[in-house]
Amino acid sequence: MYTPICLLSAFALASAQTVPAQLFSRLIPQKVLATAKSLPVPIQYPQYTDTSHGNWIDFDPDTWTSGFFPATLYALNTRKALCGATPSNGLSAGDWLNLGRAASNGLIPLEAHNNQGHDVGFLSFPFVEELAINPSNQTALDAVHNFAADLAARFDPVVGCTRSWGTADPTDFTVIIDNMMNLEILWVVYGLTGNETLRHIALTHADTTIRNHIRQDGSTWHVVEYNSTTGHVIRKRTAQGFSDSSTWSRGQAWAVYGFANMYKRSGDPKYLDTARRLATYFLNNMPSDGIVPWDFNAPLIPAPRPADSSAATIVANGLLLLGKVDPSPAAGKKWIKAAISLLNNITKLAWRPSWQSLLSNGTVNWPANNFLTGIVYGDYYYIKAGNDLVSMGLAKCS
Ligand SMILES: *[C@@H]1O[C@H](CO)[C@@H](O)[C@H](O)[C@H]1NC(C)=O
Ligand SMILES: *[C@@H]1O[C@H](CO)[C@@H](O)[C@H](O)[C@H]1NC(C)=O
Ligand SMILES: *[C@@H]1O[C@H](CO)[C@@H](O)[C@H](O)[C@H]1NC(C)=O
Ligand SMILES: *[C@@H]1O[C@H](CO)[C@@H](O)[C@H](O)[C@H]1NC(C)=O
Ligand SMILES: *[C@@H]1O[C@H](CO)[C@@H](O)[C@H](O)[C@H]1NC(C)=O
């Protein structure tokens, strides 16, 4: 656990830094409102944009990213509470709470059936936001309970993890580093019910991940396959990275964030230590141009090596969280400073006023030739970073 005194001094030291003005641009509510008003009927959700005009491409609700747009609407409701709603900040243009509630409804059928494996944690985000506003909303309570039970049912005690993806051979048990982010739904429902099974699953998954998913130097594999009969590791490989031995930057970003959250939730110093190692790898391997590459080991030639703006905004949130919970004031200051620097750098590269997304330069899936796009979760975490900086006292709303 951390002491509020360290927290304050870390914030004071980091606050000398300037955050990008675009984080609070009125273009943000403008664009998000336009997207909310043009959601297809029956509902589909934006996931990424085309590469030439930056127009959103919408997907069926049974897609791992469907929760992010409704969560973005809730994030603007949070921003309204933090900043006030005026015509000049653009926040007076929409009823963000009701837009978020309406957009969440398309996710409800997924509680009974979905094909998203471990990603039910991401699907639950808007319902977790709803509960922060109205803790007795039964629709949202049912959703978080159902999604948590869904993830818990994917836990295998022989392996010590929740299964990320289904496979044709059920003994081939696939876990991806991204799965660290989905453990939060177990903590949320543990907080509501005190159900120790859920807490135990989150801790066990994280411990197994420390053992098998993280290299000596603090980098990560994307995929670890276990044999669910024996519990042994079959192989370690990539799915979306450059190679089996490379470090896919979005995976590393999920890991930083996921372990910082494990420390926040449990107070166990081994998770603090792990989050620090992961963050140190990320920052020590940043190229000198300050642009987060889609994979730390991807070749520089032909230039430019594609960036991943979503990895940048995800890790910025992970670093802000680590900055809040790290009990060392010097370390806390370092993480927050790095987060603000990454936000400045990605804004310079990827802010696109003419696109429907806020940012360009997202790499959805390089091996599938899907890059140079806007990405819904990249934008979500950009807005959330702005909100967090305001609530930490490190930024003004304009
Ligand atoms: C409860 O939350 C759901 C979405 O989670 C929303 O659609 C509904 O409007 C909310 N109900 C009330 C009474 O606020
Ligand atoms: C706790 O959660 C697990 C996993 O969803 C479930 O099987 C169990 O019934 C729950 N326990 C209680 C007391 O609700
Ligand atoms: C897992 O181990 C069992 C027992 O040794 C074996 O029969 C099975 O083929 C293995 N599965 C995989 C995917 O390696
Ligand atoms: C941001 O970019 C500058 C170069 O423009 C670089 O010096 C700095 O280290 C970058 N920040 C991070 C955290 O990589
Ligand atoms: C960023 O995106 C622009 C527009 O799509 C592209 O021209 C540029 O090469 C990209 N840069 C990187 C580093 O990905």
Side-chain angles (χ1 to χ4, degrees), residues 106-154:
L107 303 171
I108 290 169
L110 301 177
E111 291 170 43
H113 177 77
N114 69 76
N115 293 301
Q116 301 316 314
H118 67 122
D119 284 320
V120 288
F122 286 125
L123 295 175
S124 72
F125 277 13
F127 302 105
V128 175
E129 293 299 328
E130 173 65 29
L131 291 176
I133 292 161
N134 177 6
S136 60
N137 181 316
Q138 197 56 46
T139 307
L141 283 168
D142 289 346
V144 296
H145 283 118
N146 287 330
F147 285 131
D150 201 348
L151 185 57
R154 302 180 72 79

Side-chain angles (χ1 to χ4, degrees), residues 291-292 307-309 344-352 360-361:
I291 296 172
V292 177
D308 182 10
S309 53
N344 274 299
N345 291 354
I346 203 58
T347 302
K348 232 172 273 166
L349 177 76
W351 177 255
R352 285 285 176 279
S360 61
N361 293 93

Side-chain angles (χ1 to χ4, degrees), residues 238-243 246 248 250 293-295 297-299 301-302 304-308 362-373 375 377:
T238 198
Q240 274 161 261
F242 174 68
S243 73
S246 75
W248 176 54
R250 192 160 65 238
W294 73 276
D295 185 301
N297 306 103
I301 297 182
R305 173 173 60 175
D308 182 10
T363 294
V364 177
N365 188 333
W366 187 82
N369 206 33
N370 190 351
F371 59 103
L372 294 175
T373 71
I375 302 187
Y377 43 89

Side-chain angles (χ1 to χ4, degrees), residues 110-287:
L110 301 177
E111 291 170 43
H113 177 77
N114 69 76
N115 293 301
Q116 301 316 314
H118 67 122
D119 284 320
V120 288
F122 286 125
L123 295 175
S124 72
F125 277 13
F127 302 105
V128 175
E129 293 299 328
E130 173 65 29
L131 291 176
I133 292 161
N134 177 6
S136 60
N137 181 316
Q138 197 56 46
T139 307
L141 283 168
D142 289 346
V144 296
H145 283 118
N146 287 330
F147 285 131
D150 201 348
L151 185 57
R154 302 180 72 79
F155 181 71
D156 184 325
V158 175
V159 173
C161 279
T162 57
R163 187 194 288 264
S164 301
W165 295 333
T167 43
D169 177 349
T171 67
D172 186 359
F173 190 103
T174 304
V175 181
I176 65 173
I177 191 67
D178 322 30
N179 203 143
M180 284 304 304
M181 288 298 287
N182 288 302
L183 303 179
E184 172 61 4
I185 187 59
L186 303 175
W187 287 108
V188 167
V189 176
Y190 168 68
L192 291 170
T193 62
N195 184 327
E196 281 292 338
T197 304
L198 302 177
R199 179 173 162 276
H200 169 77
I201 292 174
L203 294 170
T204 307
H205 184 107
D207 293 348
T208 306
T209 300
I210 292 176
R211 269 201 309 284
N212 297 323
H213 239 111
I214 306 177
R215 303 185 186 100
Q216 276 298 316
D217 64 357
S219 69
T220 48
W221 280 277
H222 185 195
V223 184
V224 176
E225 283 175 39
Y226 296 88
N227 182 316
S228 65
T229 308
T230 64
H232 295 150
V233 172
I234 302 171
R235 54 186 194 132
K236 303 186 178 189
R237 62 175 177 90
T238 198
Q240 274 161 261
F242 174 68
S243 73
D244 289 346
S245 59
S246 75
T247 301
W248 176 54
S249 63
R250 192 160 65 238
Q252 189 76 16
W254 292 135
V256 170
Y257 203 157
F259 276 99
N261 195 51
M262 282 299 298
Y263 178 60
K264 176 187 139 185
R265 286 296 195 173
S266 71
D268 187 329
K270 80 181 151 196
Y271 302 127
L272 172 66
D273 176 63
T274 303
R276 284 173 169 172
R277 286 173 58 214
L278 292 158
T280 300
Y281 176 89
F282 200 110
L283 297 174
N284 285 352
N285 285 274
M286 280 296 294

